[in-house]
Every structure is written in C-alpha cells, then in structure tokens.
Amino acid sequence: MRSAIKVLMGLLAVFCLVQAASAAVNYKLSTTPTVSPSSGDISPGEPVTVLVTLTLTGTEQTFPDKNQLEFYTELNDPQWTRDIQIDGIGSDSPRTVKNMRMTIPGFELSYKSGLNLVVKVTLKGYAPTVTATSSKTIMSIQELDSNGVAVEGSTYSIKRTVVNPQDVQANIATAQTRLTALKASIDEKLVSGVDTTAAQTKYDEAKAAINRASSTSDFAAAKADLTVAQTAMDAAETALVQAEAQKEINDAQSAINQIDGIITYFEVNRSMGTDQRVMNLKTQRDLAAQSLSLANDQMNAKNYDAARIKGADANQKAQSTLTLATQVREEIGEGFSLNLGSLPLYIGAGIVIVLIIGGIIYLRNRKRWDELG
C-alpha cells in the first residue's frame, strides 16, 4: 500500500514538472523591435513596417513541437515575411503570409537543444481607418500551448495611436476658440498695465502650432502640433496670471512706500507721532503690509492665482490708506518747519525785519526830538 502511494506521489511530481515545463515561455526577443515610423502617432493609411528577431529558448528542444508561435496585427493589407535561421543559416526562400494572423507550428521550430535557432519576422501594412483616435495593435506575439491557450507571460505587443481626422479637425476648432479668448485676455491685461510679454510669446508659439495643424494633411503631425499649442496656451495663461499678480504686488509696495514717507513727515517734521490720526495710519499701513507679505509668499511658492488675490487685497488696503494719509496731510497743512538748507534765507529775512523795526523806532524818536525843539 505504501509503495503504491509512493508511486502515485512520484507520478504526480513528474506530472507537475511536465506541466511546469510546458508552461514556460520558449522564446525571447533577441533585440528591440525596429518600427517605422519609430515613434509618435500615425495617420490612417500611413505605411508601417516592423522587424522582430526571436531566439528560441527551449530546454530539451529549441521549442515544444506541440506548441506554436502566433503573430497578429490590426494593420490593413498586412504582409508577413518569416525566416527561420539555424546557426545563422536561413531559408533560401522566406515564407510570406498575407493575413492579419500568422502562426508558426512547433514542429517547424523544434530542434535538439544546443542549436542556435532564430526567427526573423518582417511585417508591412498600413495604419487602419478609425472612427475615433485610439490605440491599435501594430504587432503582437504569443506562444500557444497544445490546447491553443496562450502560455502565461508569453504575450508581447507593439501598440500605436492611430489618429481620427475628424477628431483632429474638432480639436483644431477648439484650440482656435481658446486662442481667441487668450488673445482677448492678453489685450485686456495690457491696457490695465500688466506686463504681458511672456504671455504674448507663448501665445505666438501656440498660434504658429495651430496654423501648422490647420494646413497639413498629416493628421498625426497635426495632433502633435495641437499638443504643442495646448502646452503653449497653458504656459501663456499661467504667465498672464503671474504678471497680473506681480503688478498687484508692485502697486501695493509702491503705495506702502508713499505711506511710509507721509508717516515719516508727520513723525519727524511735525512731531505728530502720538497723534491718533497718525497712529491709525500706521495700523492700516501694517495691515496692508501683512497682506503684501502673504502675496509674496504665494508668489515665491508659484501659487499665482493665490498671489494675485492676496496682492489685490494688499493693493486695495494700501491705496485706501494712502488716500487717507493724503487727506490728513492736506488737513494739517505744511505748517512751519526750520529747514537748515534754507537757513541763509531765514537769516536774511530776519535782518530785513530787524532793519524795518529799527527804522520805525528811529523815525519815531526823531519826530519826538523835533517836537521837543
């Protein structure tokens, strides 16, 4: 009984090993596949070529004779050319297949281990027509077992986005609408004193890219140009918000500087440091400066929308305080202030006054003397 159990366990182990061996992937890519065009999206009808080289990696045999390699494509009018090479020697007449799917049966690939067996496959076709821009399989490779089931981990795919012309035309129209709105925004900010130089530069880049997309029949190239345009418009909008925020910050800082000058005048020239009106101005000035500091923090963090909002708040507070400070100065007036730079003028005026008073006194005394005889 125990012997029978051991035999069964041994057979089970052998069966598991066989299953594991049959589940192994028996090929690998010798080199990176060559695809033309090499990168980017493709347009319907565009010719496509793929070259792959596979090395068979079976252990006891180069490839299991009951398995098969399957190749598939979604290209139109596909033409496969395959060449099986053993130790560098290929067929005199490589086989050609014109179908979306090509299979190579295992018995054509099964040789004793130790041989260097390579499969070279070339695929030529045309990008298919699509109703919506989508990803299509240019080539897929998989190993199928004896039941026609894909061996786990054996599938390899090359995919590429095929562009739908209608999608491109719709996207061009959308981009042009956005570009028009961007131009209007740039012009509006320019009138209000915002530095729109950076935004205008990016706008020009976007406009050029959209013009290229509109004038080409290469829809993949048009789609790439639209991506360039969208990126440039994003940058232009960001630059515009940044410039607007910087203007609010600059205007707020300028107003605060003027407020500081007026407060200094009140404190130094008029000795009004304890005047309630001056103290109120200083409080309002500090509130504006706090908002300005927050705006600068957001600017440094590149949070331009937040910087613009905080900058506008700081500017509003600073301008309101500046108006109040100007009103207080007008109410108080210039008053009298001894300016050392005008000292000679003051001395001269004093001498004139003394001479006038002396002359009046002299004339009065002389008249009195005349009356006394």
Side-chain angles (χ1 to χ4, degrees), residues 15-37:
F15 177 76
C16 290
L17 289 173
V18 170
Q19 287 295 102
S22 64
V25 180
N26 294 285
Y27 82 90
K28 67 178 181 180
L29 293 171
S30 302
T31 59
T32 302
T34 301
V35 184
S36 177

Side-chain angles (χ1 to χ4, degrees), residues 222-232:
K223 182 172 180 289
D225 279 326
L226 287 177
T227 299
V228 171
Q230 296 293 352
T231 301

Side-chain angles (χ1 to χ4, degrees), residues 32-354:
T32 302
T34 301
V35 184
S36 177
S38 59
S39 62
D41 300 338
I42 52 179
S43 300
E46 184 173 354
V48 179
T49 301
V50 184
L51 172 63
V52 296
T53 302
L54 310 180
T55 299
L56 303 187
T57 59
T59 53
E60 296 182 0
Q61 296 174 307
T62 53
F63 193 84
D65 58 1
K66 295 186 181 302
N67 288 7
Q68 59 183 338
L69 285 177
E70 181 183 72
F71 299 79
Y72 172 77
T73 184
E74 290 185 292
L75 294 177
N76 287 343
D77 300 325
Q79 178 175 302
W80 305 87
T81 301
R82 64 181 180 89
D83 186 21
I84 301 172
Q85 299 182 354
I86 303 174
D87 289 339
I89 301 175
S91 171
D92 292 334
S93 56
R95 190 174 301 179
T96 298
V97 176
K98 296 182 178 180
N99 203 335
M100 294 181 69
R101 200 178 304 272
M102 178 186 72
T103 58
I104 304 178
F107 66 82
E108 293 187 31
L109 305 172
S110 182
Y111 291 84
K112 64 180 181 179
S113 61
L115 291 177
N116 180 22
L117 197 146
V118 170
V119 179
K120 290 190 174 183
V121 175
T122 300
L123 168 65
K124 294 182 178 181
Y126 300 89
T129 300
V130 291
T131 57
T133 299
S134 54
S135 176
K136 292 296 181 180
T137 299
I138 303 302
M139 177 190 287
S140 71
I141 308 169
Q142 60 182 356
E143 179 181 349
L144 305 180
D145 64 17
S146 58
N147 296 316
V149 177
V151 175
E152 184 177 356
S154 70
T155 301
Y156 174 81
S157 295
I158 301 171
K159 295 181 179 291
R160 195 67 66 81
T161 297
V162 180
V163 177
N164 177 35
Q166 285 73 30
D167 290 347
V168 173
Q169 294 299 333
N171 291 338
I172 289 174
T174 300
Q176 287 174 331
T177 299
R178 183 183 177 189
L179 189 72
T180 300
L182 175 61
K183 180 58 175 174
S185 183
I186 290 174
D187 291 344
E188 177 188 352
K189 301 305 178 186
L190 180 62
V191 170
S192 65
V194 175
D195 181 2
T196 61
T197 303
Q200 183 66 45
T201 298
K202 289 300 179 181
Y203 166 85
D204 292 340
E205 290 180 14
K207 183 178 180 180
I210 291 174
N211 287 341
R212 289 196 303 271
S214 301
S215 60
T216 183
S217 59
D218 185 341
F219 298 108
K223 182 172 180 289
D225 279 326
L226 287 177
T227 299
V228 171
Q230 296 293 352
T231 301
M233 285 189 284
D234 288 343
E237 290 166 355
T238 298
L240 201 59
V241 175
Q242 180 183 1
E244 187 178 2
Q246 191 63 62
K247 183 180 185 302
E248 295 287 1
I249 289 173
N250 292 345
D251 289 350
Q253 185 62 67
S254 177
I256 289 173
N257 291 342
Q258 294 178 66
I259 294 167
D260 288 341
I262 294 174
I263 290 175
T264 298
Y265 167 77
F266 287 148
E267 291 180 332
V268 176
N269 296 58
R270 304 304 300 275
S271 301
M272 295 173 59
T274 58
D275 188 289
Q276 185 60 45
R277 292 169 296 181
V278 176
M279 294 176 67
N280 179 57
L281 287 176
K282 293 173 68 174
T283 299
Q284 297 302 317
R285 180 266 180 207
D286 289 344
L287 291 175
Q290 289 174 10
S291 294
L292 180 60
S293 178
L294 293 174
N296 280 316
D297 289 344
Q298 294 296 336
M299 198 71 168
N300 292 333
K302 298 184 179 180
N303 298 325
Y304 301 128
D305 276 318
R308 177 179 55 81
I309 294 171
K310 291 295 183 182
D313 179 52
N315 192 24
Q316 186 275 326
K317 290 176 179 177
Q319 296 296 340
S320 177
T321 304
L322 178 59
T323 299
L324 181 59
T326 302
Q327 290 173 351
V328 172
R329 182 163 184 169
E330 289 175 352
E331 291 172 2
I332 294 173
E334 294 300 327
F336 177 79
S337 176
L338 182 61
N339 188 330
L340 294 179
S342 303
L343 187 57
L345 177 61
Y346 297 146
I347 294 174
I351 292 173
V352 171
I353 292 172
V354 170

Side-chain angles (χ1 to χ4, degrees), residues 367-373:
K367 184 178 180 181
R368 185 180 303 169
W369 295 333
D370 290 342
E371 290 176 352
L372 293 175

